[in-house]
Amino acid sequence: MSQISPAVQPEPARGGQRHPHRRDIQGLRAVAVLAVFLDHLVGWPRGGFVGVDIFFVISGFLITGLLLREYERTGTISFRSFYARRIKRILPASVLVLAVTTLLASLLFPLTRTLSTIGDALWALAFAGNWRFALSGTDYFQEGTLPSPLQHYWSLGVEEQYYLLWPLLMIVVLGTAATLRTRGRRRRGVGRGPLAVVVLALIAASFAWAQAETAAQPAVAYFSTASRAWELGLGALLAIAAPLLRHLPHAVRPVMAWAGLAGMLASILWLMPGQAGFPAPLALAPVLATALVIAAGTGREVPGPWLLENPVSRYLGDLSFSLYLWHWPVMVLLVALTPSDGIRYFLWAVLLTFLLSAGSFHLVEEPLRRARWFRAPRVAGRERGPVRVRALVSVGLATAAAVAVVVASVTVRSDDALPTAADPLPAGVGAAAGQDGPGGDGPASVTPESERAGAAEGAEVAPVTAPEAECLGAAAAVSGEACDGVLGEQLWPSIETFAADTAGQYPCWRSKGQPAFPDCRRGDPQGTLRVALLGDSHAASYLPALEAVAQRQGWRLDVFTGFACHWYAHDPQDNCYGPLQGATQRLLSAEPYDAVLVTSSRYDDSHPFDERVDRYERAWAPVAARGTRIIVLTDVPATSEESLECLTRVGFSVTDHDCGLPRDEALTLVDPLPHVAGRVEGAAVVDLTEYFCPEDFCPAVIGNTVVYRDASAHISATYARSLTPFLEEALLEVVDG
């Protein structure tokens, strides 16, 4: 996000005159922030996210122009003055939003999400939020989690990291050019040529890096400063070329401006979230279109496009920084109070966003930008003494106090957030916990909160008597109305901890990039029935129940679960090709397996449906030909962010809620594995859908148990354990049959 302040520095015209500030750029800011706002609020236009790319170009142009004018006027660049200006324009409003958002999150969010928000705020305060989200975007165990109310701060991180180095590079290049220049050459414009060459080289390098990173790690590329620097660099190049752009014929300027504006709008309507090739090379479209508009308005003496220069657009451009800062926290926090698919939500989101933005702009952003105590004293025309930062100290102390209040409230709340001896987990749900949960050989990315939850679940628990035992978790799906109200308002795992409820699911996990599955065996190591579990994270989610079945039945259970390890014929360059090759060799070893249990996420769209079916069949056929029984566990029905947000909403009731999805919507994405089973001799299907979707609805809570821990349909470990008796019965029918 750019430093979106209305106080755009005017460009000096020839002859020492000054043009008024760029009204067309204020209009560009309005277009950009409205695109982002509408995309986030109503999901249209889908390419509204390119508003950030527009801001990057604007920021590169304005900041570089400011620094060049200072250098041409004084022969140097004052780093102290530059960073003081950046601080007073960026920090007051951004710190205010961080403090308010963190405080409200502590009141409205569950414990684990509150702690995550505090972490996001600290990263954002250090202008490193982009790397926080780049890292979490590559963490498989963060997939499907509810959005952070501070996620949009990533763009501020990109800009401020860029401007940490850019003024230094400019002074080095300009100073070197000045040293080498011929005596008598005019000082105005000195060094622009060499600086343009350096910037062109940096643009080329950054764009090349962005293309490589987009192909290899698109989630990282989206947030990466190195992959976004070329966009700011193009804006900088426009500022360097400003003397040349002033000679553009007046007749072509309107054509350029409207063509650029059309290109921006086309990009906003055409690009889609998650589209392959973004940010490079696809971000070229909005970036070049924005550059065309800026170039058309540089040095002109005629009005620009009315769409950009009307009073409404200019005012929205003035508000754009505050609008950007406030809109996302308002939308995310508001979901805790009202459903996000109702007209009330949309009206409140619009009203609160604009009221808070206008208040922030007029009462914080502008007054502090103009305040005299931000300015360094001057003596004999020269700067002396440190920049006064009383406002920053005040804001910093207020933020520290806010964080302290939040941490204190979280500490108090955490005493009741996890199950205790006075509030035990039911034995029917937690009996298998703690054996191989987090803290043992599980994945390192499991959070400390999940470790605490796993430890609590492994503690001694009180027994549950009938009819309560028949109403816990999956049991309630078949008990029906007989379970209504039996367990009251108690919920397992708690709202505070359900997102981290993974105990026992990932002790055998193969992370992305690991060359092979870990050697992992569960159940009875000496068991005579050899069974393998093979698949992705949805297969791993079943492990607490399958391990309990293997222990009770004396099976030897070998586990092959890993990142994107769908058991089909992968291409050699695929992430799980090597590990699956090794697993297949073990399945075809001299001692054949009796059965292979397989399941995979219905969300996989790496290949068209029919091609996936063919690939699965090719992978299974050799193993089935050896006499191994392949047993498909149907994938769990889909869920949604709205279903999980519903659980965390203020006023949520375990016994009276509508959190979940209609059955037909939850099963819209077709699971290909049952189709494959019909084409492989001896394959069988175990369908557990009835335990997730009793009747025509798939609730987010069944039998006082949270079904899913994230929006990617990873089931909670607690609900997985509640499936044990039903999964055992279904598997025995197949194995013994």
Side-chain angles (χ1 to χ4, degrees):
M1 188 63 189
S2 87
Q3 165 251 340
I4 312 167
S5 169
V8 181
Q9 296 291 330
E11 284 191 28
R14 291 170 108 60
Q17 298 177 348
R18 288 183 178 270
H19 292 309
H21 72 270
R22 294 283 298 268
R23 293 181 296 178
D24 58 335
I25 286 183
Q26 293 303 88
L28 282 177
R29 285 170 160 163
V31 171
V33 78
L34 284 178
V36 172
F37 178 68
L38 290 173
D39 181 16
H40 287 162
L41 182 63
V42 298
W44 186 92
R46 298 294 303 279
F49 58 88
V50 303
V52 174
D53 302 88
I54 296 171
F55 282 126
F56 283 156
V57 181
I58 294 172
S59 184
F61 173 75
L62 293 176
I63 296 300
T64 303
L66 181 74
L67 294 173
L68 278 172
R69 288 191 295 273
E70 180 183 357
Y71 183 82
E72 292 181 339
R73 186 177 67 253
T74 67
T76 188
I77 293 174
S78 170
F79 298 110
R80 183 178 62 188
S81 297
F82 173 74
Y83 292 119
R85 288 192 298 268
R86 294 298 294 171
I87 287 171
K88 77 178 181 181
R89 290 183 181 180
I90 294 294
L91 211 57
S94 60
V95 168
L96 173 66
V97 176
L98 287 175
V100 172
T101 301
T102 306
L103 282 170
L104 290 176
S106 72
L107 299 174
L108 298 175
F109 286 170
L111 175 63
T112 51
R113 199 174 179 198
T114 297
L115 293 173
S116 178
T117 302
I118 293 173
D120 296 339
L122 295 175
W123 280 77
L125 199 60
F127 294 112
N130 59 317
W131 294 113
R132 161 84 158 181
F133 297 115
L135 293 172
S136 64
T138 58
D139 181 355
Y140 193 82
F141 294 94
Q142 294 293 321
E143 179 181 305
T145 54
L146 295 178
S148 166
L150 299 173
Q151 184 167 314
H152 61 317
Y153 270 74
W154 73 268
S155 58
L156 273 76
V158 169
E159 282 205 12
E160 299 318 307
Q161 291 159 32
Y162 179 86
Y163 291 126
L164 190 65
L165 299 176
W166 179 230
L168 178 62
L169 180 62
M170 283 185 65
I171 195 66
V172 169
V173 174
L174 294 172
T176 302
T179 301
L180 299 176
R181 73 179 185 272
T182 305
R183 284 189 182 217
R185 183 177 297 178
R186 260 187 342 174
R187 196 179 75 169
R188 179 178 293 274
V190 167
R192 285 183 182 255
L195 187 61
V197 172
V198 171
V199 171
L200 278 170
L202 291 175
I203 290 173
S206 173
F207 187 74
W209 177 266
Q211 285 188 295
E213 196 164 43
T214 299
Q217 293 183 297
V220 174
Y222 189 89
F223 296 110
S224 169
T225 304
S227 294
R228 295 291 194 152
W230 65 274
E231 302 179 34
L232 290 123
L234 186 58
L237 188 63
L238 289 172
I240 296 168
L244 298 177
L245 295 176
R246 293 191 185 102
H247 296 294
L248 287 172
H250 291 305
V252 305
R253 290 179 182 273
V255 177
M256 290 173 59
W258 281 105
L261 191 56
M264 288 166 50
L265 296 177
S267 300
I268 291 170
L269 295 172
W270 164 57
L271 290 171
M272 305 288 282
Q275 190 168 344
F278 194 90
L282 294 184
L284 266 176
V287 166
L288 291 177
T290 305
L292 202 59
V293 177
I294 293 175
T298 300
R300 63 172 166 76
E301 298 177 354
V302 294
W306 60 266
L307 188 63
L308 301 180
E309 297 202 3
N310 65 79
V312 174
S313 294
R314 294 204 307 270
Y315 183 65
L316 289 176
D318 291 344
L319 293 185
S320 57
F321 184 51
S322 287
L323 273 171
Y324 183 80
L325 290 179
W326 282 110
H327 85 284
W328 186 244
V330 166
M331 291 180 191
V332 174
L333 292 166
L334 195 58
V335 172
L337 300 173
T338 185
S340 60
D341 56 355
I343 187 65
R344 181 170 60 179
Y345 171 83
F346 294 107
L347 292 176
W348 273 112
V350 172
L351 180 63
L352 288 173
T353 296
F354 279 90
L355 284 177
L356 289 169
S357 300
S360 178
F361 173 73
H362 291 292
L363 301 177
V364 176
E365 189 178 334
E366 276 293 278
L368 293 184
R369 184 183 69 83
R370 298 178 184 278
R372 294 183 60 83
W373 34 262
F374 264 112
R375 301 173 186 169
R378 295 177 179 271
V379 175
R382 299 183 62 182
E383 295 182 358
R384 188 182 71 180
V387 176
R388 299 178 184 176
V389 292
R390 287 180 294 176
L392 300 181
V393 172
S394 300
V395 173
L397 290 174
T399 304
V403 172
V405 170
V406 172
V407 172
S409 67
V410 167
T411 303
V412 172
R413 289 169 59 196
S414 65
D415 292 338
D416 299 320
L418 300 174
T420 63
D423 180 27
L425 280 163
V429 177
Q435 295 170 4
D436 294 291
D441 55 351
S445 58
V446 175
T447 63
E449 297 85 63
S450 67
E451 293 181 9
R452 294 178 62 192
E457 290 167 359
E460 183 179 354
V461 295
V464 179
T465 59
E468 292 178 345
E470 298 176 358
C471 296
L472 294 169
V478 294
S479 298
E481 295 181 358
C483 287
D484 290 349
V486 169
L487 296 175
E489 287 291 326
Q490 183 63 48
L491 188 66
W492 295 281
S494 72
I495 287 295
E496 302 288 350
T497 60
F498 78 88
D501 184 29
T502 62
Q505 292 180 318
Y506 299 103
C508 306
W509 183 251
R510 174 257 173 195
S511 299
K512 184 178 181 180
Q514 288 184 340
F517 293 106
D519 188 7
C520 189
R521 183 164 297 165
R522 291 296 182 263
D524 182 359
Q526 307 302 321
T528 57
L529 191 74
R530 297 187 70 200
V531 180
L533 171 65
L534 209 160
D536 63 357
S537 59
H538 281 212
S541 294
Y542 275 120
L543 188 54
L546 290 170
E547 181 177 357
V549 173
Q551 289 174 340
R552 290 165 59 166
Q553 296 298 323
W555 298 349
R556 191 177 83 176
L557 177 64
D558 292 338
V559 182
F560 306 95
T561 56
F563 179 88
C565 289
H566 316 286
W567 188 27
Y568 55 57
H570 284 251
D571 297 324
Q573 69 272 18
D574 288 354
N575 159 71
C576 206
Y577 174 80
L580 284 172
Q581 289 287 96
T584 300
Q585 291 176 5
R586 289 184 59 180
L587 295 176
L588 295 174
S589 63
E591 186 181 2
Y593 283 77
D594 297 284
V596 176
L597 308 177
V598 58
T599 190
S600 284
S601 169
R602 64 177 70 238
Y603 290 96
D604 174 38
D605 60 356
S606 53
H607 303 283
F609 184 86
D610 290 339
E611 182 180 345
R612 272 183 288 152
V613 170
D614 290 339
R615 285 173 175 260
Y616 276 117
E617 184 181 5
R618 295 206 312 268
W620 297 5
V623 177
R626 285 286 305 271
T628 298
R629 190 76 180 273
I630 295 177
I631 304 174
V632 169
L633 302 179
T634 57
D635 187 33
V636 300
T639 189
S640 65
E641 278 191 7
E642 289 76 12
S643 298
L644 299 185
E645 289 168 344
C646 178
L647 295 180
T648 62
R649 190 168 300 134
V650 174
F652 166 77
S653 170
V654 176
T655 56
D656 184 19
H657 68 87
D658 59 356
C659 304
L661 288 179
R663 182 187 178 104
D664 57 352
E665 186 176 342
L667 299 177
T668 297
L669 294 173
V670 179
D671 182 3
L673 270 63
H675 295 264
V676 184
R679 295 166 57 168
V680 175
E681 185 176 357
V685 176
V686 171
D687 190 348
L688 301 177
T689 304
E690 64 178 304
Y691 302 105
F692 293 89
C693 304
E695 300 181 349
D696 295 325
F697 192 70
C698 306
V701 172
I702 298 177
N704 290 59
T705 305
V706 179
V707 178
Y708 302 100
R709 61 179 180 82
D710 60 36
S712 293
H714 294 108
I715 59 176
S716 69
T718 305
Y719 196 76
R721 286 191 290 274
S722 78
L723 288 166
T724 300
F726 310 104
L727 183 57
E728 181 176 25
E729 180 182 4
L731 289 176
L732 289 177
E733 287 182 7
V734 174
V735 172
D736 295 340

